[in-house]
Amino acid sequence: MHKIAAGLCFLLTSTALGHAAPRTDLSAAQLRAPAAEAGTEAATETRLVENAAFVAPEGAAAASDGFEGTLHLGETLMTTEPAKLKSDNLLGKDPAYFPKIAISFTTVNGNLVPLTQDVIRAGSLPEGKSFWDTIVQPGAVWSEPGDDGWNRASFPFALMHSIEGETHNGVATFLYKGSEVSAVRMQIVNQTAPFYVEDRFTAAATLPASFSPEVTGDAKAARQTFEAAEKDAYPTAPWSEFVAKYGQEVADGFDGTIGADERVAAAITVDGTMYVKYCPTPMGELPYCARQRFGVWSVTKAATNEMAMLSLAQKFGAGIYDQKLVELIPEAKGLEGWDRVTLGNLVNMSSAMGYGSHQAKPYTVSDPFDDHYYAWYEAPTTADKLAVLLPAAKPYPWLPGEVIRYRDEDMFLLGVGLTRVVQKHGYANVWDYLEKEVYGPIGIHYAPTNKTIESEPSKDQSLMAYGYYPTLGDMAKLAELIHQDGKFGGKQILSAEKVKELQPREGHIGLPTGERERPYYHEAFWYSQMDSKWGCALYYPAMTGFGANYVAIFPKDITTIRIAKNLDNTRPSRTMDNFEETADAIADLCE
């Protein structure tokens, strides 16, 4: 994975999303309107424009200067559609406001590079009106002849919140010259499935902005990390190459059943190349699709906890799965039932603890979302979360490992336990371990995630149940580790024996879920069954998340990825039949 194919350039450059001159949208005059006018109630008249206006048009020139410094953005009421959001007071904050944030940037070969892609907290802190935190990804700088010597910059970003798991994806642009910057024009044009914020919405605003030459962080290190990330990007080719190779009928059938209003992104990888089918929005394709980060909710469980477990099994042995929870989390000692639970039970969602029905059959996979759940969900610190969930859960009348009850709380507990495991080996926490031992070695150089909010930020604990924000390429790389028996570049990253348990197989593995589409669950992966036209019946694993987010792993180095915003669990979105049919058409899956 050390070569960027032409298709990735297609997704990032102006040839994919050009804007014809002369400009009618986002002209220099519009962006340079007096800053006093931006951020006022009148600014909420800002409208959505075609996404093409946010990227360099064909024939654009290189920027005359790079951009290095910090962009300070003011809290601003956005124009939203719907005009009034149902959830206008969440935890004392308003999701109709863009947050007050500061973003430090540098430039590398025409790329606008943020010094951090981690979560920039605003809405999750006490100050301000806005509900939102933010993540920012690399964009571009360029110049246009009608801008009177000013340079242009744009960047992709997402609004999100540190206790939630969705993203509201968009793009922003501004002008700069020397130490001067224009107002920043932003719009939100797609999103993954929301939870506390009930609406699926679009938004636009003109943000008051100022510049300071100082940066927060190490600009040189940020440039080096960006260059390494570009070098290690997952090889990508345009969708037209997939069509040419496998035919229009196969291409049309891929992810063909989900409703157009639920689509966020879809891609398929075959033999180490990713083909992106779409990144749609009401205003044209989403700019910087390959760099956008998506809130994939429970895809996080397999992408974080299970990856950490598989790596620890490789380093220290599979006994990590048998480690008793109370030996790592003494806060659970003396509370009935927790003394029976192992880390393996937690990753299998079979702790035999919870607050649901004591009837094992018919299978009811989900534990209830009751007051205990929401108290845990909103608790800001690790101590607060443990104080809620440990005493609230009661033992079920079966043993751990016998029945699945799907609990976000158990995945959080697992993450806390893993932090305490890796701290014995010199790592700060489980996220530090993942970045150093799994993500970094396979070329994932940025890994933003939601964490608890501690008085000492160094003690923040990643949530691990949801809240990881990967790119399409990141998801492809993690799936590739499963395809390659846990090995990357000749190095064994994950336990080969444990990974082989997870791979597509003829016999089922895991605990029954009672769900038609995904009848078994094993170590954070859901398993679906398919009858291949090549003569075998297969069970294949998928990382899945709320909203119909799927990363499905098929034989023959085929992975299908879909990001969506389904809210009602309807079958056209939940089914993976068309993924199965596409994989079956590409290769003999039974060979």
Side-chain angles (χ1 to χ4, degrees):
M1 302 177 192
H2 295 293
K3 210 173 180 182
I4 303 177
L8 180 57
C9 298
F10 171 85
L11 289 169
L12 298 180
T13 61
S14 59
T15 56
L17 292 162
H19 190 282
R23 277 187 175 270
T24 55
D25 291 323
L26 308 187
S27 68
Q30 291 168 345
L31 292 174
R32 291 177 60 198
E37 296 180 11
T40 64
E41 296 292 325
T44 62
E45 296 304 317
T46 303
R47 62 181 175 83
L48 293 178
V49 300
E50 291 295 319
N51 290 329
F54 285 84
V55 297
E58 291 189 58
S64 59
D65 293 299
F67 183 88
E68 184 165 302
T70 299
L71 191 65
H72 302 267
L73 304 179
E75 188 171 73
T76 304
L77 184 63
M78 300 181 290
T79 302
T80 61
E81 176 55 46
K84 181 172 174 54
L85 303 182
K86 296 174 187 174
S87 313
D88 59 358
N89 186 348
L90 291 173
L91 308 177
K93 299 295 188 81
D94 190 341
Y97 278 83
F98 188 93
K100 178 183 179 181
I101 57 172
I103 313 166
S104 292
F105 289 105
T106 187
T107 45
V108 179
N109 300 324
N111 294 279
L112 181 69
V113 179
L115 267 62
T116 182
Q117 290 193 44
D118 288 336
V119 174
I120 301 172
R121 285 179 176 158
S124 59
L125 300 179
E127 298 79 17
K129 297 178 181 178
S130 176
F131 176 74
W132 300 112
D133 299 326
T134 314
I135 50 176
V136 176
Q137 295 83 55
V141 295
W142 70 94
S143 64
E144 297 180 21
D147 289 346
D148 194 26
W150 289 70
N151 294 299
R152 284 185 180 256
S154 74
F155 58 92
F157 72 95
L159 299 180
M160 36 65 65
H161 192 280
S162 288
I163 70 165
E164 298 245 71
E166 87 262 26
T167 48
H168 298 260
N169 295 80
V171 62
T173 191
F174 64 96
L175 303 177
Y176 68 93
K177 181 195 287 187
S179 61
E180 295 183 86
V181 294
S182 70
V184 172
R185 182 69 159 74
M186 57 71 60
Q187 60 186 34
I188 297 291
V189 286
N190 213 340
Q191 66 174 87
T192 56
F195 188 39
Y196 270 18
V197 178
E198 298 177 58
D199 299 280
R200 294 190 295 192
F201 69 89
T202 58
T206 300
L207 311 175
S210 62
F211 171 82
S212 62
E214 302 81 18
V215 297
T216 300
D218 185 333
K220 180 179 179 182
R223 291 191 291 270
Q224 291 172 340
T225 301
F226 173 78
E227 289 172 336
E230 291 290 281
K231 177 174 175 283
D232 292 340
Y234 198 92
T236 306
W239 189 249
S240 58
E241 289 191 17
F242 182 86
V243 175
K245 193 167 185 178
Y246 300 108
Q248 192 67 56
E249 184 177 356
V250 172
D252 289 345
F254 174 66
D255 205 30
T257 58
I258 187 171
D261 63 338
E262 297 181 337
R263 296 177 177 179
V264 178
I268 184 169
T269 72
V270 184
D271 296 330
T273 296
M274 181 167 65
Y275 306 88
V276 179
K277 184 173 184 179
Y278 60 68
C279 271
T281 84
M283 308 313 292
E285 286 290 293
L286 182 65
Y288 304 104
C289 178
R291 292 178 177 174
Q292 293 272 0
R293 297 190 170 276
F294 299 102
V296 292
W297 286 100
S298 289
V299 168
T300 300
K301 293 175 171 68
T304 65
N305 267 325
E306 177 64 351
M307 291 296 164
M309 292 282 280
L310 292 168
S311 174
L312 287 165
Q314 168 61 22
K315 279 183 169 294
F316 306 113
I320 186 67
Y321 287 82
D322 299 320
Q323 176 81 56
K324 288 284 190 178
L325 177 71
V326 293
E327 294 172 358
L328 300 168
I329 302 180
E331 297 94 326
K333 287 184 177 179
L335 297 173
E336 185 184 7
W338 287 117
D339 59 325
R340 308 180 301 173
V341 179
T342 66
L343 299 189
N345 297 146
L346 293 175
V347 79
N348 274 306
M349 292 289 194
S350 61
S351 67
M353 301 292 290
Y355 8 87
S357 168
H358 280 215
Q359 184 176 332
K361 295 181 181 180
Y363 295 110
T364 304
V365 68
S366 291
D367 229 35
F369 288 78
D370 65 3
D371 290 344
H372 298 303
Y373 179 87
Y374 290 105
W376 166 81
Y377 189 79
E378 294 180 12
T381 69
T382 298
D384 292 336
K385 287 184 180 294
L386 293 179
V388 171
L389 75 91
L390 288 172
K394 305 302 180 185
Y396 286 115
W398 50 80
L399 293 175
E402 293 184 345
V403 176
I404 177 178
R405 283 293 168 85
Y406 194 88
R407 286 168 40 86
D408 289 338
E409 302 95 309
D410 284 357
M411 282 291 177
F412 173 75
L413 267 181
L414 176 57
V416 175
L418 290 175
T419 281
R420 296 179 184 181
V421 168
V422 301
Q423 284 175 338
K424 297 175 183 178
H425 299 281
Y427 299 90
N429 49 53
V430 66
W431 207 254
D432 179 47
Y433 179 87
L434 277 167
E435 289 185 316
K436 290 175 179 175
E437 301 297 338
V438 180
Y439 297 159
I442 67 173
I444 297 176
H445 296 276
Y446 308 99
T449 192
N450 286 349
K451 300 178 181 180
T452 60
I453 303 174
E454 311 291 340
S455 57
E456 296 180 43
S458 63
K459 295 183 178 180
D460 290 356
Q461 167 68 37
S462 47
L463 299 186
M464 307 294 281
Y466 46 81
Y468 174 43
Y469 300 104
T471 64
L472 293 172
D474 294 341
M475 289 180 276
K477 288 179 179 181
L478 293 170
E480 195 70 18
L481 267 183
I482 304 301
H483 284 299
Q484 301 303 325
D485 299 340
K487 186 179 289 187
F488 179 85
K491 181 180 179 181
Q492 196 71 44
I493 306 294
L494 310 178
S495 164
E497 180 181 359
K498 292 294 294 181
V499 168
K500 287 176 182 177
E501 282 184 16
L502 297 172
Q503 291 171 339
R505 56 199 295 129
E506 291 199 35
H508 74 76
I509 190 171
L511 294 171
T513 66
E515 295 208 351
R516 172 184 176 184
E517 303 296 342
R518 283 166 286 284
Y520 292 95
Y521 188 89
H522 182 65
E523 293 182 10
F525 285 84
W526 294 81
Y527 282 77
S528 296
Q529 190 272 336
M530 68 173 287
D531 295 317
S532 172
K533 71 177 184 180
W534 302 99
C536 62
L538 289 172
Y539 289 87
Y540 62 91
M543 310 181 215
T544 78
F546 170 56
N549 300 311
Y550 301 132
V551 182
I553 298 169
F554 294 94
K556 299 299 179 70
D557 202 12
I558 298 170
T559 300
T560 61
I561 302 170
R562 184 235 268 146
I563 313 300
K565 51 186 176 186
N566 173 262
L567 298 181
D568 57 9
N569 280 331
T570 52
R571 190 170 186 271
S573 297
R574 286 178 59 79
T575 181
M576 292 194 282
D577 293 352
N578 57 89
F579 295 149
E580 298 169 6
E581 291 162 3
T582 301
D584 222 18
I586 289 172
D588 181 347
L589 302 184
C590 303
E591 191 177 43

